[in-house]
Amino acid sequence: MVRDACRPHRLGGAVAGLTLLGLMAALVLGSGPFALGGTRATGRSSPAGVVTRIIPVGATNPARTLAITVVLAGQAPDALRDTVAALANPTSPEYHHFLTPAQFAQRFGAPAAATTQVTNTLRAAGLRVLDRSADGLLLRVQGTVGAVERLFGVAIEDYRTSAGGRFYSTVGAPRIPAALRGLVTGVLGLESYSAARPASIRHFAAGSTGYSPTELANAYDFGPLKSAGIDGSGQTVAFAEIDTFKQADINTYDHAFGISAPDVQVVQVGGGASPADKVSETTLDIEVVHAIAPRTQVIAYEGGGDTQSLVQTFSQIVSDHKASIMSISLGLCEKFALDPSQAPQDLQSAFTSSGQTFFSALDQTFQQADALGMSILVSSGDTGAYGCNQFDASNHDVTASAPATSPYVTAVGGTALFTGANGSYDHEDGWEGALEGAGGGGGVSLVYPVPSWQSGPGVSNQFSNGKRQVPDVSADADPLTGYAIYDSTDTGCSGDQCWGVVGGTSASAPLWAGLIALANQKGVASGKGPAGFLNPLLYQIGTAASGGGSAPFHDVTGGGNLYYPATRGWDFSTGWGTPDASVLVQSLLATEPSK
């Protein structure tokens, strides 16, 4: 490929050759409970508003073998919350004295007696325990449909969709039997519905280009870090993925930009992931990290897109403890998960048996990650302040997306980045495309109260209601000012035709993952540990920066996210803003204790 083919040329923030129709079509990436955070600026997809009809087929064969996950209650949940808070509080004597996996399991995992009682009860009901997570909080169980129905008091039915898919789901929510109450918080896997696949068909606009690694480094001040040899060496980022990728695409990207990166490691979770349909989210994630921290080891954990598979994937990333950073570019509508009756018919099938259990399992896994010293970056969504619109085109409620709303992760929003003639940072606006119904996710959680660390200039405002607010930080995500990405998933492209411009908060989240890999590498070189859970320190840094001096964040004050405006200080559109990487890394390490 000719190097100049990847150089962006922007006029007023628009990519040359882009049609409005192509952009609007590209913004719909999923129609189920989980949708990808990235949007391809020059792709096409199914028209917004297409309704997936569900057709009942009949009772699931009671002799069919079913795999489910039983979620156990951990020990001392109040003590765990206090421990996570102390580990992330720079003023605490426990600050960054992270636990080992064995210490976490002993203090906060499921008690051995509880695990034994649950296992015996399951076996007595005719089920077989296949394995358990290292902390004992998840039991992977197998049994017949009939045995599962009897134990949990549900009926499991088969369905097909108007698009030809087939799945099973429960009629009503499961009941925890008396012998398991207080020991088990819920069960996952009683439904298999998953529409977490991109539906776009790529049609790249001729000559359109996106930001290259060098241009991103210039805009976000990564240059001094790279000049000092900080390139991610010795660090590992884990991605939770629901589709596959081609190592050859990553190699092409790396070759085009002179990047020398280790081959991506792949870990299959459960039955693994499906091949990407038209757009590979995994490819986007990996290439963005390579652009920022090229020597970082990337591990792609590939699993399914249903709630059970996602929980298993997140849990395995944490339990394996191979990575200090996890990046997640998936989301769901909190409102639909909490109250499936409010969701379209297909999403009701996905959440009826697992909504509350899903949140409970996420909390346990993310708290464990924080206790072990991991940093979790989660994309905030791509439909602006209307988090449910991505899954139901008729829903225009002002809502935020989970798991970005979790108080144990760092939610990453989106901006439109503009650079000067010499490639230096010029300004950014909050990403909002009114005509396309697209923008950086942000808003107020329906699930989580505002955490104690979430304070500072701008945090308390006319939209606050005592709940967790997102995003925490941001980076470029507007497809009109997006990233140069090579992806040959669409079999209709070959060679240079597979280059395109990609945006979305699933590009901004891995950018931040790469930044933290650089910070961790620099920390190790000075005898310090990983950054760990970022938010308490990010809010402390953001508050201090409001008083003047070298700014670790670009405070974005223009634009918005289709509802919330970008303002001075923290805001619902961009959080604290976007990174000045060199300054921010110094700020992150300033409070880091030496080992």
Side-chain angles (χ1 to χ4, degrees):
M1 140 175 205
V2 178
R3 171 65 182 86
D4 284 344
C6 282
R7 297 185 65 81
H9 47 95
R10 285 166 290 279
L11 297 174
V15 179
L18 180 66
T19 65
L20 178 60
L21 177 61
L23 173 62
M24 291 178 70
L27 293 169
V28 181
L29 290 180
S31 59
F34 294 90
L36 302 180
T39 59
R40 187 174 297 276
T42 53
R44 290 180 181 171
S45 64
S46 301
V50 171
V51 176
T52 300
R53 291 188 299 109
I54 302 301
I55 299 96
V57 174
T60 303
N61 183 349
R64 175 179 176 176
T65 299
L66 197 64
I68 62 174
T69 297
V70 176
V71 182
L72 276 66
Q75 303 176 71
D78 293 339
L80 175 56
R81 284 191 293 270
D82 292 343
T83 297
V84 169
L87 291 171
N89 182 358
T91 65
S92 169
E94 296 181 55
Y95 180 59
H96 280 196
H97 292 287
F98 300 119
L99 306 182
T100 66
Q103 289 171 330
F104 180 90
Q106 181 180 24
R107 292 174 57 181
F108 304 115
T115 302
T116 299
Q117 182 174 336
V118 172
T119 299
N120 290 340
T121 301
L122 294 172
R123 288 173 177 167
L127 304 177
R128 183 162 63 100
V129 175
L130 301 177
D131 56 43
R132 65 173 188 162
S133 59
D135 52 23
L137 294 172
L138 300 180
L139 295 181
R140 195 164 64 92
V141 178
Q142 187 179 79
T144 65
V145 167
V148 170
E149 289 178 323
R150 288 189 295 273
L151 181 62
F152 294 105
V154 293
I156 300 176
E157 304 278 343
D158 286 338
Y159 301 86
R160 63 180 177 89
T161 70
S162 54
R166 298 184 71 90
F167 66 96
Y168 57 84
S169 183
T170 64
V171 178
R175 297 189 301 272
I176 304 301
L180 299 180
R181 287 173 195 162
L183 305 176
V184 168
T185 62
V187 58
L188 299 168
L190 301 182
E191 78 290 315
S192 62
Y193 185 86
S194 174
R197 310 305 304 165
S200 60
I201 301 175
R202 302 185 321 172
H203 292 289
F204 292 124
S208 65
T209 58
Y211 283 115
S212 70
T214 298
E215 289 162 331
L216 291 169
N218 290 339
Y220 286 133
D221 194 26
F222 286 101
L225 293 170
K226 296 192 174 186
S227 296
I230 305 300
D231 56 8
S233 295
Q235 302 306 306
T236 302
V237 172
F239 287 109
E241 303 291 2
I242 60 171
D243 58 19
T244 59
F245 71 101
K246 301 175 183 177
Q247 180 66 47
D249 288 353
I250 310 303
N251 295 342
T252 299
Y253 178 89
D254 291 347
H255 178 74
F257 294 115
I259 293 171
S260 175
D263 282 352
V264 179
Q265 297 177 9
V266 176
V267 176
Q268 300 287 339
V269 181
S274 301
D277 181 13
K278 298 298 180 181
V279 179
S280 172
E281 167 68 28
T282 312
T283 299
L284 169 62
D285 289 338
I286 295 167
E287 291 181 1
V288 171
V289 164
H290 280 192
I292 303 304
R295 294 302 301 168
T296 299
Q297 177 63 64
V298 170
I299 307 177
Y301 283 77
E302 296 180 350
D306 57 280
T307 55
Q308 173 180 222
S309 297
L310 287 165
V311 166
Q312 289 178 342
T313 298
F314 299 154
S315 176
Q316 186 165 341
I317 291 174
V318 176
S319 296
D320 284 355
H321 201 45
K322 295 178 179 179
S324 60
I325 302 157
M326 185 196 309
S327 185
I328 301 170
S329 293
L330 303 166
L332 63 84
C333 167
E334 276 192 336
K335 180 178 180 179
F336 295 164
L338 289 174
D339 185 0
S341 67
Q342 299 294 312
Q345 187 182 25
D346 54 334
L347 297 189
Q348 291 181 28
S349 302
F351 291 127
T352 296
S353 69
S354 64
Q356 294 285 359
T357 301
F358 180 75
F359 283 111
S360 174
L362 284 188
D363 289 348
Q364 290 186 150
T365 297
F366 292 157
Q367 284 178 302
Q368 180 181 0
D370 294 348
L372 300 184
M374 295 180 67
S375 303
I376 308 176
L377 292 309
V378 182
S379 61
S380 66
D382 293 345
T383 49
Y386 307 96
C388 296
N389 185 255
Q390 190 168 2
F391 316 104
D392 176 9
S394 67
N395 187 291
H396 303 293
D397 294 340
V398 178
T399 55
S401 294
T405 52
S406 168
Y408 308 112
V409 308
T410 299
V412 184
T415 65
L417 168 66
F418 302 98
T419 57
N422 63 353
S424 62
Y425 182 88
D426 186 82
H427 75 282
E428 285 173 276
D429 293 327
W431 169 36
E432 57 181 351
L435 293 178
E436 310 88 61
V444 183
S445 173
L446 297 174
V447 179
Y448 301 104
V450 63
S452 60
W453 45 258
Q454 189 159 41
S455 63
V459 172
S460 180
N461 56 58
Q462 69 269 35
F463 303 111
S464 301
N465 66 358
K467 296 290 189 179
R468 161 82 160 117
Q469 303 177 177
V470 294
D472 301 301
V473 292
S474 291
D476 182 42
D478 189 338
L480 296 180
T481 65
Y483 301 68
I485 296 296
Y486 188 89
D487 179 11
S488 68
T489 299
D490 185 349
T491 56
C493 79
S494 62
D496 287 358
Q497 296 174 342
C498 299
W499 285 96
V501 183
V502 181
T505 56
S506 63
S508 54
L511 182 146
W512 269 85
L515 186 158
I516 302 306
L518 299 181
N520 285 352
Q521 180 192 359
K522 188 169 183 179
V524 168
S526 56
K528 299 181 177 182
F533 178 42
L534 299 167
N535 289 5
L537 185 54
L538 289 177
Y539 280 77
Q540 177 180 303
I541 292 171
T543 298
S546 301
S550 297
F553 299 111
H554 301 120
D555 189 2
V556 180
T557 59
N561 72 343
L562 300 177
Y563 183 83
Y564 300 106
T567 62
R568 291 185 62 84
W570 186 94
D571 58 69
F572 283 102
S573 174
T574 66
W576 288 110
T578 65
D580 182 309
S582 295
V583 178
L584 180 59
V585 167
Q586 287 298 114
S587 299
L588 289 171
L589 295 178
T591 60
E592 180 69 26
S594 298
K595 290 183 178 179

